[in-house]
């Protein structure tokens, strides 16, 4: 059969690619795993209609080829879905392949069962996966390969699944790949995310990159010609590549700076990869730097030396930005073959060079230790954990020094307080300030590269809630939370005694029922909170008297109940314009304020705790978090044909100032197009003006028409849509 032959072909291709890593009877074991998976999945098909076995085969191939893993990973990848989807149990796996592989497969198998309220199953899965990571980092690497293949084949999934999987990917997996230094995979995951959440933009950028290819190549050829000549004279092997930026990173630039594709100036970088003996890597790279800057003037602010101090994810490279002959800045990346392989393949490539390099390795090891520490903390919920964990993945970092000149690497944005906690919990807990480069600074002072820090402490210092806002490292956050809890417990103990004394005084019985009634009356969650409230004085003698007089028969409002009726109601759009849920019902909803959707936008519904269904754009900045952590609360939503209903949206207008321009702009809006404006604000500065207009439109077509018209106004340079406010929390 055709299909059988294709399966065998793919299996052979995997063997061929794994050949360099095979030892002893590895091939036999791989065959055993393949046979097991083939049999176990024999009746299963993927959503695309393909035989299921294609999936584990592809995952195994990614492990070998794109991550550089060996036999253990290949076997685990081949059988990674077996336990979850078939009758085969972990014990069988252990019998056939041993403990190590069984452990990895267990880590790759999703957790099932009941979850506490408010946690996402996905977060729970993720946490479990990381548990196994502490024993074997391959679990994560195989999981990333699994995710990559699922993203590559996302096309055949239903739309809501696409959104959920893509969002999880951008929220957790891409940052994780970045943290493990798997740059190629990180980039592909990000691009695929964009392709499935905002296909139009993805295609637009992709096409533009294609169109400019010929010009780009010509430019690169001219740019590198003199450099090539010099390198040839040096008699080293080298390779020069012109690398276009990823679609996702271009998109990010456009979005962040609110500029069109044409105005993104660093659309590509030149990469020079040289072959160098290990001992001479650094001097070779600087030699190349010197050649490049002999021909082109470097921008002194943009020199990055990640060879002397590699990034925490192991990245090593020398970057400079130089002025080309055509007046454009060009980034040049200089690195050795070894550095390049590590930059693309990350963690696994490190192992290959383990004997030769120890420094970067230990950075990753340190990170793993930190992950382990967090995992061992029992009292965080899965969601909290994922949040914290994510916070730790974004690792632009600062390099700072202790008074003795010891180098410390902290995440960018880290403060003096982070530094204090990094040194020791006790020092953090007693920190009252610091001396940075001999100058006195407060504890929330953000550190910069090269700072030398001396922490000042006082035995009288105590952490407070504000401190949580002063730190960015997970370690400091966790310690502060611990300290605050401990302090609260201590205070509550004192409160308990006070309460008992006062109750005696007022002749209130101390039975369980009374305490229950008190908790309701004072609106506190637990006994601990009750005692704490007494200790802090929120509940005193007069409050207790009121409690005593309170008769449960005559219901009274709770002490702390907050009435919310005065809240302004969101303007309710026409009811039959949006269809929601699987049956595409017409239900009540509100439009999210963070991304202000209008008809024509791709949207989804999100069931909020107290405010019903909210509609967000699929490219809303809050979408990844909502979709990946609260997938079960997401529902499908789709616009039907447009009605004469108006939606609030924002336009940004930039141009050169002239008399009467604002008048012309508002005339077009209100007279010609009969659009209602809700607000208009213009700033003018040295001949340049920029304005923000909030107005009501019917749909995206209407908006596009308006933008086109406004762009024709004399003096207007650019008109673009913006989301009403850049808020960090979903609204
Ligand atoms: Mn899978």
């Amino acid at each position: 059969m055709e299909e059988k032959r294709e399966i065998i072909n793919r299996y052979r291709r995997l063997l061929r690619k794994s050949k360099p890593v095979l030892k002893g009877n590895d091939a036999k074991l791989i065959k055993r795993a393949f046979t097991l998976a083939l049999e176990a999945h024999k009746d299963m098909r993927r959503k695309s209609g393909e035989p299921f076995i294609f999936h584990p085969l592809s995952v195994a191939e990614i492990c070998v080829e794109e991550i550089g893993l060996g036999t253990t990973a290949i076997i685990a990848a081949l059988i990674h879905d077996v336990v979850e989807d078939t009758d085969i149990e972990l014990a069988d796996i252990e019998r056939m392949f041993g403990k190590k592989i069984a452990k990895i497969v267990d880590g790759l198998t999703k957790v099932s069962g009941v979850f506490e309220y408010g946690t996402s199953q996905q977060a729970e899965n993720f946490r479990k996966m990381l548990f196994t990571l502490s024993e074997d980092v391959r679990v994560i690497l195989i999981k990333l390969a699994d995710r990559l293949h699922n993203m590559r084949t996302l096309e055949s999934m239903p739309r809501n699944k696409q959104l959920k999987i893509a969002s999880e990917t951008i929220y957790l997996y891409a940052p994780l790949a970045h943290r493990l230094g798997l740059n190629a995979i990180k980039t592909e995951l990000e691009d695929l995310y964009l392709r499935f959440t905002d296909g139009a933009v993805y295609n637009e950028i992709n096409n533009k990159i294609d169109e400019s290819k010929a010009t780009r190549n010509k430019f690169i050829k001219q740019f590198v010609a003199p450099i090539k000549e010099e390198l040839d004279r040096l008699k080293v092997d080298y390779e020069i590549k012109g690398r276009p930026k990823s679609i996702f990173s271009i998109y990010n630039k456009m979005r962040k700076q609110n500029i069109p594709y044409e105005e993104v100036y660093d659309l590509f970088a030149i990469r020079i990869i040289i072959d160098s003996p290990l001992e001479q890597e650094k001097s070779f790279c600087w030699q190349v730097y010197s050649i490049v800057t002999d021909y082109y003037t470097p921008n002194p602010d943009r020199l990055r030396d990640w060879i002397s101090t590699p990034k925490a994810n192991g990245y090593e490279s020398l970057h400079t930005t130089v002025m080309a002959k055509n007046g454009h800045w060009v980034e040049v990346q200089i690195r050795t073959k070894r550095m390049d392989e590590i930059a693309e393949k990350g963690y696994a490539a490190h192992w290959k060079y383990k004997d030769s390099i120890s420094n970067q390795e230990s950075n990753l090891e340190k990170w793993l230790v930190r992950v382990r520490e967090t995992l061992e903390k029992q009292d965080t919920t899965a969601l909290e954990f994922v949040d914290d964990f994510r916070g730790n993945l974004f690792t632009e970092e600062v390099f700072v020094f202790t008074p003795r000149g010891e180098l410390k690497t902290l995440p960018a944005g880290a403060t003096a307080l982070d530094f204090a906690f990094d040194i020791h919990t006790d020092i953090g807990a007693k920190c009252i300030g610091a001396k940075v480069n001999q100058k006195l600074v407060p504890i929330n002072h953000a550190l910069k590269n090269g700072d030398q820090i001396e922490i000042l402490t006082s035995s009288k210092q105590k952490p407070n809630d504000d401190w949580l806002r002063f730190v960015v490292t997970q370690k400091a956050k966790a310690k502060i939370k611990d300290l605050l809890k401990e302090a609260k417990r201590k205070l509550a103990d004192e409160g308990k005694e006070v309460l008992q004394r006062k109750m005696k005084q007022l002749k209130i019985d101390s039975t369980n029922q009374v305490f229950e009634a008190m908790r309701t009356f004072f609106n506190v969650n637990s006994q601990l909170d009750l005692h704490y409230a007494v200790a802090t004085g929120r509940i005193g003698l007069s409050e207790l008297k009121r409690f005593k007089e309170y008769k449960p028969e005559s219901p009274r409002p709770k002490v702390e109940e907050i009435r919310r009726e005065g809240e302004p109601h969101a303007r309710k759009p026409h009811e039959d314009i949006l269809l929601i849920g699987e049956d595409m019902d017409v239900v009540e909803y509100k439009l999210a304020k963070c991304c202000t959707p209008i008809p024509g936008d791709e949207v989804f519904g999100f069931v909020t705790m107290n405010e019903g269904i909210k509609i967000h754009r699929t490219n809303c900045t809050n979408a990844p978090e909502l979709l990946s952590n609260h997938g079960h609360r997401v529902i499908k939503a789709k616009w039907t044909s447009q009605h004469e209903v108006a939606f609030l949206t924002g336009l940004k207008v930039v141009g050169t100032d002239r008399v009467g321009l604002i008048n012309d702009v508002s005339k077009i809006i209100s007279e010609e197009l009969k659009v209602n404006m809700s607000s208009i604000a213009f700033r003018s500065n040295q001949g340049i003006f920029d304005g923000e207009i909030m107005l009501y439109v019917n749909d995206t077509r209407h908006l596009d028409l308006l933008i086109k018209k406004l762009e024709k106004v004399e003096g207007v340079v650019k008109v673009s849509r913006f989301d009403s406010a850049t808020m960090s929390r979903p609204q």
Side-chain angles (χ1 to χ4, degrees):
M1 235 173 66
E2 192 73 19
E3 213 169 75
K4 283 244 166 71
R5 204 172 316 134
E6 179 60 23
I7 293 175
I8 298 300
N9 278 344
R10 289 188 185 212
Y11 171 61
R12 290 217 178 105
R13 192 171 70 203
L14 171 67
L15 280 183
R16 217 167 38 244
K17 284 181 177 163
S18 8
K19 201 145 190 203
V21 298
L22 297 188
K23 283 187 290 282
N25 65 342
D26 283 0
K28 235 190 210 157
L29 286 170
I30 292 176
K31 187 170 183 195
R32 191 186 293 170
F34 171 65
T35 320
L36 175 71
L38 187 64
E39 177 61 22
H41 296 301
K42 71 170 184 275
D43 299 321
M44 294 167 61
R45 298 210 162 253
R46 303 201 83 208
K47 274 266 176 344
S48 59
E50 288 179 334
F52 191 87
I53 189 74
F54 281 11
H55 170 62
L57 277 169
S58 301
V59 175
E61 208 176 307
I62 293 171
C63 285
V64 185
E65 195 174 34
E66 297 177 51
I67 310 184
L69 292 170
T71 306
T72 309
I74 297 171
I75 293 169
L78 281 172
I79 56 178
H80 79 272
D81 277 329
V82 160
V83 174
E84 190 181 338
D85 297 337
T86 73
D87 298 336
I88 290 159
E89 281 171 23
L90 220 50
D92 304 319
I93 305 272
E94 189 174 328
R95 206 161 357 89
M96 290 175 77
F97 301 100
K99 252 203 168 77
K100 191 158 56 170
I101 286 182
K103 195 104 216 174
I104 296 176
V105 172
D106 186 33
L108 292 166
T109 305
K110 291 175 194 136
V111 227
S112 54
V114 191
F115 297 98
E116 58 182 290
Y117 180 71
T119 67
S120 152
Q121 181 158 344
Q122 205 49 45
E124 205 57 69
N125 284 340
F126 192 75
R127 186 179 185 162
K128 182 184 170 198
M129 186 174 86
L130 287 174
F131 261 118
T132 332
L133 159 102
S134 42
E135 278 160 54
D136 198 324
V137 73
R138 275 174 293 208
V139 177
I140 293 274
L141 297 172
I142 299 167
K143 189 75 201 168
L144 281 166
D146 183 35
R147 177 54 56 136
L148 180 60
H149 185 246
N150 285 334
M151 284 296 284
R152 282 177 181 169
T153 53
L154 202 57
E155 193 70 62
S156 43
M157 282 297 199
R159 185 69 186 136
N160 57 336
K161 280 253 173 84
Q162 282 183 348
L163 282 179
K164 182 168 168 11
I165 293 172
S167 297
E168 261 169 41
T169 300
I170 204 69
Y171 192 66
L172 286 173
Y173 291 96
L176 191 55
H178 170 71
R179 191 57 188 81
L180 293 171
L182 297 148
N183 192 43
I185 289 181
K186 171 213 161 212
T187 304
E188 189 177 344
L189 287 176
E190 287 174 342
D191 280 359
L192 285 165
Y193 161 77
L194 186 62
R195 196 180 126 201
F196 287 105
T197 50
D198 204 339
V201 170
Y202 175 89
N203 287 330
E204 191 192 316
I205 298 175
N206 198 19
N207 290 341
K208 284 192 170 158
I209 292 176
D210 266 2
E211 282 164 21
S212 57
K213 200 171 174 184
T215 345
R216 186 168 57 242
N217 286 344
K218 200 173 140 215
F219 170 81
I220 291 170
K221 218 173 147 193
Q222 284 172 351
F223 181 89
V224 301
I227 300 172
K228 269 189 156 167
E229 244 170 67
E230 294 285 334
L231 286 173
D232 287 338
R233 221 169 289 159
L234 274 183
K235 296 209 165 39
V236 288
D237 280 335
Y238 67 90
E239 191 189 350
I240 300 184
K241 296 182 197 166
R243 311 247 329 162
K245 268 230 158 68
S246 80
I247 296 176
F248 183 77
S249 60
I250 293 174
Y251 161 79
N252 251 344
K253 280 231 157 126
M254 290 165 60
R255 187 172 167 144
K256 265 192 204 134
Q257 299 171 20
N258 207 12
I259 51 174
Y261 176 87
E262 288 70 23
E263 283 173 35
V264 179
Y265 80 97
D266 47 352
L267 287 166
F268 66 92
I270 306 258
R271 186 175 295 168
I272 305 174
I273 302 160
I274 47 170
D275 218 353
S276 149
L278 193 67
E279 326 73 72
Q280 281 166 285
E281 283 189 315
K282 198 166 167 177
S283 71
F284 270 48
C285 288
W286 281 102
Q287 220 169 326
V288 175
Y289 172 84
S290 144
I291 291 173
V292 172
T293 50
D294 276 348
Y295 285 90
Y296 304 105
T297 315
N299 181 335
D301 291 337
R302 304 200 48 140
L303 175 67
R304 299 283 179 274
D305 174 10
W306 282 306
I307 293 177
S308 308
T309 42
K311 285 194 188 183
N313 66 6
Y315 184 84
E316 291 171 80
S317 196
L318 186 61
H319 291 194
T320 176
T321 300
V322 299
M323 180 61 80
K325 303 284 185 235
N326 65 353
H328 284 137
W329 291 111
V330 175
E331 182 180 302
V332 181
Q333 308 172 344
I334 302 161
R335 56 174 79 157
T336 65
K337 257 190 172 160
R338 179 191 65 82
M339 297 174 189
D340 192 52
E341 192 178 354
I342 286 174
E344 293 299 317
K345 287 190 179 167
Y347 196 84
H350 272 287
W351 286 99
K352 200 169 133 190
Y353 296 103
K354 196 178 177 189
D355 301 334
S356 48
I357 292 294
S358 55
N359 187 22
Q360 299 82 338
E361 185 85 76
S362 66
N363 263 336
L364 268 169
E365 283 302 330
K366 268 186 220 154
W367 178 72
L368 284 173
V369 168
R370 242 182 286 157
V371 172
R372 252 166 253 165
E373 279 173 7
T374 350
L375 283 163
E376 276 151 17
K377 286 180 60 68
Q378 295 294 329
D379 57 347
T380 51
T381 70
L383 275 179
E384 243 177 348
F385 166 76
V386 169
D387 251 11
D388 282 354
F389 179 77
R390 253 185 102 246
N392 240 7
L393 289 174
F394 298 103
T395 47
E396 284 308 315
E397 49 238 343
V398 287
F399 300 101
V400 294
F401 296 93
T402 67
R404 285 193 194 149
E406 191 194 332
L407 177 71
K408 294 256 176 202
T409 312
L410 293 168
T415 60
L417 193 56
D418 280 304
F419 182 85
F421 274 101
D422 193 73
I423 291 175
H424 199 279
T425 308
D426 291 342
I427 297 188
K430 303 272 169 250
C431 179
I432 51 166
K435 271 188 189 167
V436 171
N437 309 327
Q438 310 297 335
K439 257 178 67 191
L440 205 61
V441 300
I443 58 174
N444 60 349
H445 177 84
L447 304 175
K448 286 194 290 297
N449 271 328
D451 279 349
Q452 190 162 32
I453 303 129
E454 185 189 338
I455 294 297
L456 307 171
T457 59
S458 155
S459 57
K460 294 206 175 67
Q461 179 67 307
K462 275 193 193 106
N464 59 53
D465 286 335
D466 286 340
W467 282 29
L468 288 169
R469 289 187 291 108
F470 294 165
V471 294
V472 301
T473 55
Q474 190 182 331
K475 184 176 176 181
K477 258 194 195 134
K479 295 287 186 209
I480 294 170
K481 277 185 197 166
D482 279 353
L483 291 166
L484 289 174
K485 266 183 210 161
E486 208 183 288
K488 189 175 173 181
R489 227 169 278 144
K490 251 192 206 151
L491 256 179
D493 278 349
E494 291 167 22
K496 192 177 174 180
E497 280 173 34
V498 175
L499 181 65
Q500 278 165 350
R501 220 170 39 237
K502 287 189 172 157
M503 282 169 73
K504 221 177 244 167
Q505 204 178 327
L506 292 170
K507 302 211 168 56
I508 305 174
D509 293 338
S510 52
T511 65
N512 274 343
Q513 269 155 321
V514 170
F515 283 120
E516 271 314 304
M518 262 189 197
R519 263 166 54 185
T520 321
F521 184 81
F522 292 116
N523 196 22
V524 291
N525 288 324
S526 64
Q527 203 86 323
L528 183 83
D529 285 344
L530 180 68
H531 295 151
Y532 183 72
V534 174
T536 55
R538 182 165 84 75
I539 300 175
L541 206 56
S542 60
E543 282 80 11
L544 286 168
K545 271 184 193 153
R546 274 204 290 139
F547 169 76
K548 202 188 167 198
E549 289 154 16
Y550 164 70
K551 298 273 177 308
E553 296 83 42
S554 55
R556 265 190 239 181
K558 285 180 204 163
V559 173
E560 300 249 317
E561 199 169 40
I562 304 157
R563 295 252 125 213
R564 290 198 146 211
E565 265 161 27
E567 232 171 71
H569 230 60
R571 205 180 53 85
K572 207 165 71 189
H574 203 274
E575 300 237 347
D576 58 359
I577 200 138
L578 191 75
L579 300 180
I580 292 174
E582 287 304 316
D583 331 319
M584 293 276 121
D585 269 344
V586 175
V587 215
E588 276 203 34
Y589 62 90
K590 283 177 191 169
L591 299 170
K593 283 183 202 126
C594 48
C595 55
T596 52
I598 62 176
D601 284 333
E602 249 204 90
V603 290
F604 65 91
F606 187 77
V607 185
T608 64
M609 291 299 210
N610 338 305
E611 295 181 276
I613 294 169
K614 286 217 167 170
I615 305 299
H616 292 262
R617 285 158 68 181
T618 52
N619 64 3
C620 169
T621 44
N622 292 312
E625 204 240 317
L626 296 177
L627 288 160
S628 45
N629 275 346
H630 313 280
H632 58 288
R633 284 160 60 190
V634 170
I635 47 177
K636 248 202 283 201
K638 203 173 89 190
W639 303 100
T640 54
S641 61
Q642 297 90 31
H643 294 240
E644 290 304 308
V645 182
F647 292 85
L648 188 64
T649 189
L651 278 185
K652 204 180 184 75
V653 183
V654 182
T656 50
D657 209 358
R658 65 171 171 85
V659 180
L661 185 125
I662 295 176
N663 195 32
D664 288 355
V665 166
S666 41
K667 224 178 179 169
I668 289 199
I669 295 174
S670 52
E671 284 177 25
E672 228 178 286
L673 287 161
K674 307 257 180 297
V675 171
N676 273 329
M677 280 186 281
S678 90
S679 72
I680 183 164
F682 277 92
R683 278 181 300 269
S684 177
N685 186 17
Q686 300 188 339
I688 303 292
F689 84 84
D690 68 288
E692 283 174 8
I693 310 166
M694 298 300 295
L695 37 74
Y696 291 96
V697 296
N698 295 335
D699 54 34
T700 44
R701 268 202 352 244
H702 190 190
L703 185 67
D704 287 343
L705 180 72
L706 184 63
I707 290 176
K708 284 218 180 79
K709 287 240 175 186
L710 287 176
E711 273 175 343
K712 292 217 180 86
V713 175
E714 194 198 325
V716 169
V717 176
K718 200 177 66 186
V719 182
S720 53
R721 177 177 177 186
F722 73 95
D723 303 335
S724 65
T726 26
M727 289 183 223
S728 57
R729 300 306 308 171
Q731 291 289 306

